Amino acid sequence: MTSAAIRVRGIRKSFGELDVLRGVEFEVAPGSIFALLGSNGAGKTTIVRILSTLLKADAGTASVNGFDTASAANDVRESISLTGQFAAVDEVLTGRENLVLIAQLRHLKHPGRIADDLLARFSLTDAGGRKAGEYSGGMRRRLDIAMSLVGNPPVIFLDEPTTGLDPQSRIEVWDTVRKLAKNGTTVLLTTQYLDEAEQLADRIAILHEGTIIQNGTLDELKRLLPAAKVEYVEKQPTLEEVFLALVGPDTSKEDAS
Ligand SMILES: Nc1ncnc2c1ncn2[C@@H]1O[C@H](COP(=O)(O)OP(=O)(O)O)[C@@H](O)[C@H]1O
Ligand SMILES: [Mg+2]
């Protein structure tokens, strides 16, 4: 028996000729925040889709909340929520109505109470009566995360939760994610932002060319590179320096300048 909230063993996935995942392995402890860090196209969403039973792996096994994603897909689905880059928020409804609707769809008792609790948890009480279409980017994303928490799933997947958000909204979402983990929810988030992983994650795994090439706490990753001595001040490497040393510079974004 394992106490890991998420366990991934030897997962492989190809799309035609493209070998996206070539034996991915990692575990996520309950109640922790785990960041899957990788460049655009590394396969982060593919892993999330496999873990949330939307996609079948070609090989390997994965379990979520103790349930096998292949043989107990329904149990996995009842244990998780998934928030993607594309918000499920209905703009015509108010924030509160969005939450009530989800609670009703899940046949939960007291949908109004559930909505009010979540609005309070995400600092949206005052905005709850306004149409979601009028919300800022950060408020919308917070509402989206709140919606995914209706029914209290023990495991939540956040696929690039702050992509496209302004700096202030990112900080709001980060606070939200921290609160989630404090309440015992296991969070697996994907990101291509090093500072996001640095800010939030208890553990960071770097996905590169189909495998997890490093997995550790921020301190462990930083220890992979020697601290540079500058005069009398010891400068710790940033996660960005560690990432670039491991993965190499991103040549896909090079331009002529
Ligand atoms: N359904 C699919 N069919 C073909 N190729 C896909 C499919 N889904 C993803 N890919 C490819 O797999 C690679 C990894 O995609 P993805 O998991 O979305 O990466 P990430 O989320 O890290 O940006 C990309 O090259 C993408 O084009
Ligand atoms: Mg993705």
Side-chain angles (χ1 to χ4, degrees):
M1 277 304 291
T2 168
S3 60
I6 301 170
R7 168 180 283 228
V8 177
R9 286 275 177 273
I11 288 285
R12 308 182 72 91
K13 182 72 192 177
S14 303
F15 297 108
E17 300 283 276
L18 184 67
D19 291 330
V20 177
L21 305 177
R22 310 173 180 203
V24 170
E25 315 246 340
F26 63 88
E27 281 184 15
V28 181
S32 69
I33 303 178
F34 186 89
L36 198 55
L37 182 64
S39 315
N40 216 353
K44 302 181 295 298
T45 297
T46 302
I47 292 178
V48 169
R49 293 187 68 210
I50 290 169
L51 290 175
S52 47
T53 76
L54 299 173
L55 189 68
K56 278 196 167 31
D58 298 336
T61 59
S63 70
V64 177
N65 201 26
F67 300 113
D68 186 82
T69 51
S71 63
N74 282 333
D75 294 309
V76 171
R77 284 182 203 149
E78 283 179 11
S79 306
I80 64 164
S81 79
L82 171 60
T83 305
Q85 270 160 267
F86 304 103
V89 173
D90 187 330
E91 301 191 353
V92 181
L93 301 179
T94 68
R96 190 173 185 279
E97 286 166 346
N98 268 290
L99 289 161
V100 168
L101 180 66
I102 302 282
Q104 287 170 340
L105 288 173
R106 301 207 175 152
H107 305 292
L108 298 172
K109 284 182 196 152
H110 315 299
R113 197 188 301 167
I114 291 170
D116 290 334
D117 281 352
L118 283 165
L119 288 171
R121 260 174 79 188
F122 291 96
S123 311
L124 289 168
T125 302
D126 292 343
R130 279 167 40 206
K131 282 195 170 57
E134 298 166 10
Y135 284 13
S136 69
M139 289 163 75
R140 279 174 72 112
R141 200 63 59 92
R142 263 149 57 211
L143 178 62
D144 186 36
I145 296 173
M147 284 163 64
S148 70
L149 289 177
V150 171
N152 278 321
V155 178
I156 173 165
F157 299 115
L158 300 172
D159 194 10
E160 302 207 18
T162 65
T163 294
L165 293 185
D166 58 82
Q168 177 56 34
S169 299
R170 294 183 76 207
I171 291 169
E172 290 173 14
V173 170
W174 287 351
D175 287 341
T176 303
V177 175
R178 287 192 193 101
K179 274 195 214 156
L180 277 181
K182 252 197 199 129
N183 284 318
T185 307
T186 304
V187 179
L188 185 149
L189 73 92
T190 76
T191 187
Q192 43 179 316
Y193 301 126
L194 300 145
D195 59 339
E196 184 153 288
E198 196 156 14
Q199 282 286 329
L200 285 182
D202 298 306
R203 289 188 80 84
I204 300 164
I206 299 177
L207 177 65
H208 183 61
E209 293 181 347
T211 62
I212 302 291
I213 56 166
Q214 283 297 336
N215 176 348
T217 63
L218 181 61
D219 281 347
E220 286 166 357
L221 293 181
K222 284 187 171 183
R223 258 181 260 133
L224 294 171
L225 291 192
K229 287 251 195 309
V230 183
E231 301 270 318
Y232 300 106
V233 187
E234 198 175 73
K235 180 182 165 292
Q236 293 293 327
T238 64
L239 181 59
E240 178 160 12
E241 284 163 343
V242 176
F243 183 84
L244 290 175
L246 292 168
V247 167
D250 183 356
T251 47
S252 69
K253 286 186 193 146
E254 269 175 19
D255 58 20
S257 63

